[in-house]
Amino acid sequence: MQVGTLVGVDYTPAMLEQAEKQVLRMGWQNVHLLQGDAAQISLDRRFDAALSTLAMSVIPDYPQALRNMARHVASGGRIAVADAKNSQRWYARPLNRVSTLLGWGAAASLAREPWKVVEGLVADCFYKEWFIGFFYAAGGKVF
């Protein structure tokens, strides 16, 4: 039983094509995919939650994208972000050069700190790191 609606937004047609294949393969009837700039898109409704994965390191105006994401979530709803980043752990810092090079291959900037923007958008910000500090998740309840 499918309950609710999922709206996926991506800037690139190639990513949306892959998502559409998955939607068709799984038979999901409640998924809508839209092409757009996350920093600029305006949707005609508010949602219970919003999730961004592996995107804030590549979106040029990621602070605006996060503000726009929170704007589209109803008060009391939740936002969450998960992405790669450079590690601040002393024992992993030498690997930041490698992660930066890998990030360039994906047009990603791993020096960004989107979780600091998230802190200003939510009431109960959580932040957690994995893989010796190279991946994180952050989020919370929208004001």
Side-chain angles (χ1 to χ4, degrees):
M1 175 175 65
Q2 298 175 354
V3 178
T5 301
L6 185 138
V7 177
V9 177
D10 200 280
Y11 189 75
T12 62
M15 289 299 288
L16 290 170
E17 183 179 314
Q18 292 302 312
E20 181 66 28
K21 287 178 184 177
Q22 179 72 2
V23 168
L24 292 172
R25 187 170 34 253
M26 299 302 294
W28 295 328
Q29 301 295 314
N30 60 338
V31 176
H32 305 282
L33 302 172
L34 305 171
Q35 184 177 1
D37 180 341
Q40 302 301 321
I41 198 165
S42 181
L43 304 172
D44 62 353
R45 60 180 284 197
R46 289 184 164 226
F47 300 90
D48 296 328
L51 170 66
S52 170
T53 56
L54 300 174
M56 292 304 146
S57 59
V58 296
I59 295 173
D61 191 358
Y62 74 93
Q64 178 58 32
L66 286 165
R67 288 189 293 272
N68 201 26
M69 187 169 126
R71 183 175 68 84
H72 283 94
V73 173
S75 181
R78 297 200 168 269
I79 64 171
V81 177
D83 213 328
K85 68 177 202 62
N86 283 328
S87 180
Q88 297 304 311
R89 298 179 188 186
W90 67 269
Y91 53 86
R93 284 186 185 156
L95 298 173
N96 282 341
R97 288 185 182 185
V98 174
S99 70
T100 297
L101 288 173
L102 292 172
W104 285 345
S109 174
L110 303 185
R112 295 176 175 183
E113 299 178 334
W115 59 89
K116 290 184 177 179
V117 178
V118 171
E119 287 175 345
L121 299 172
V122 300
D124 59 344
C125 189
F126 72 84
Y127 176 84
K128 180 156 176 66
E129 294 181 350
W130 290 273
F131 301 110
I132 62 173
F134 286 101
F135 288 90
Y136 73 91
K141 191 181 294 185
V142 176
F143 295 120

